[in-house]
Amino acid sequence: MINIVLFGPPGSGKGTQAQNLIEKFNLKQISTGDLFRYNMKNDTELGKLAKSFIDKGQLVPDQVTIDMLIDEVKKPTDASGFIFDGFPRTAVQTDALEGIVKDVLNDNIDVCLSLVVEDEILVKRLLKRGETSGRADDSNENVIRARITEYYAKTAEVAELYKQQGKYVEINGVGEIAEISEKLFAEVEKIK
Ligand code: AMP
């Protein structure tokens, strides 16, 4: 199996690049942001709880997020591996993911691919996406900046953990989508 953590601030192109990786390597994507949005749309208890954090640009508490992820990893799949998109975002989640992948899949995380994009480009991209996505957290510049700040504050420790394990690879996330995909594919080929 190929198990990838796809890493990058909001607006770095994680979703788009995850899609290209999925098709290329037959992977199943688990995006915690998408799972929360699905729950909010359906007005579930989890969705209501998540909304109170997400609308303010804050992270949803670890245990809530981890429990949701476990349910998702346990679902049967014929994929050749997983892309974790938007998870882990904290050190607690990083440890939890290692345990979940080991216990449920009898496997481990192979690599953390990190898309690097500077802040001002991220803000511009997200405001543009907000014009059409209808996402409340994409339409307000203050909320966007809070999400980017929160991302760096809380995820620096995640990057550090993967660096210590020799699994952290940075990819320039600015440029043509296909060009960025090729760079990601080359990194995945190395761990296959
Ligand atoms: P995203 O689509 O990945 O930018 O996620 C949108 C929002 O969902 C984030 O700003 C957080 O509020 C929440 N969220 C997504 N993934 C996580 C996670 N791993 N831990 C905590 N909160 C999360």
Side-chain angles (χ1 to χ4, degrees):
M1 279 186 107
I2 304 167
N3 296 308
I4 300 168
V5 170
L6 188 59
F7 209 62
S12 63
K14 278 196 316 276
T16 305
Q17 293 301 339
Q19 200 51 46
N20 292 347
L21 285 162
I22 288 163
E23 286 167 19
K24 175 86 175 168
F25 297 105
N26 183 36
L27 304 175
K28 177 176 175 178
Q29 176 190 13
I30 299 185
S31 158
T32 42
D34 284 351
L35 290 170
F36 284 133
R37 279 185 287 279
Y38 176 84
N39 277 280
M40 290 193 292
K41 201 171 146 212
N42 290 286
D43 212 21
T44 65
E45 283 309 310
L46 173 63
K48 280 180 211 156
L49 177 66
K51 188 172 167 37
S52 63
F53 295 93
I54 290 173
D55 281 356
K56 285 184 276 184
Q58 293 170 358
L59 292 183
V60 177
D62 280 333
Q63 204 51 53
V64 176
T65 310
I66 289 166
D67 287 346
M68 180 178 75
L69 186 94
I70 292 173
D71 287 346
E72 209 54 34
V73 173
K74 280 187 174 165
K75 287 184 184 163
T77 175
D78 55 10
S80 309
F82 287 88
I83 293 185
F84 297 96
D85 170 7
F87 186 99
R89 272 165 146 109
T90 66
V92 170
Q93 292 181 12
T94 310
D95 289 344
L97 182 62
E98 206 61 50
I100 294 162
V101 171
K102 194 161 188 288
D103 294 347
V104 181
L105 305 172
N106 196 22
D107 212 326
N108 58 287
I109 296 295
D110 296 297
V111 70
C112 173
L113 298 173
S114 176
L115 290 166
V116 180
V117 179
E118 63 186 75
D119 288 4
E120 294 314 309
I121 297 178
L122 295 174
V123 173
K124 274 194 204 134
R125 282 187 186 175
L126 289 168
L127 283 171
K128 190 142 186 271
R129 184 169 81 182
E131 290 169 10
T132 52
S133 70
R135 279 177 56 169
D137 61 347
D138 276 349
S139 55
N140 180 313
E141 185 167 337
N142 291 333
V143 173
I144 289 173
R145 290 195 185 273
R147 284 163 66 199
I148 295 171
T149 303
E150 178 101 19
Y151 171 85
Y152 286 115
K154 289 242 169 99
T155 57
E157 57 186 4
V158 178
E160 197 47 49
L161 288 169
Y162 286 118
K163 273 182 202 162
Q164 283 167 16
Q165 297 173 29
K167 292 179 178 174
Y168 188 76
V169 179
E170 286 189 342
I171 306 279
N172 181 359
V174 183
E176 293 294 322
I177 290 172
E179 199 185 304
I180 299 163
S181 296
E182 285 305 324
K183 288 188 232 163
L184 291 164
F185 293 169
E187 291 301 329
V188 176
E189 291 292 349
K190 287 186 196 169
I191 51 146
K192 261 177 83 184

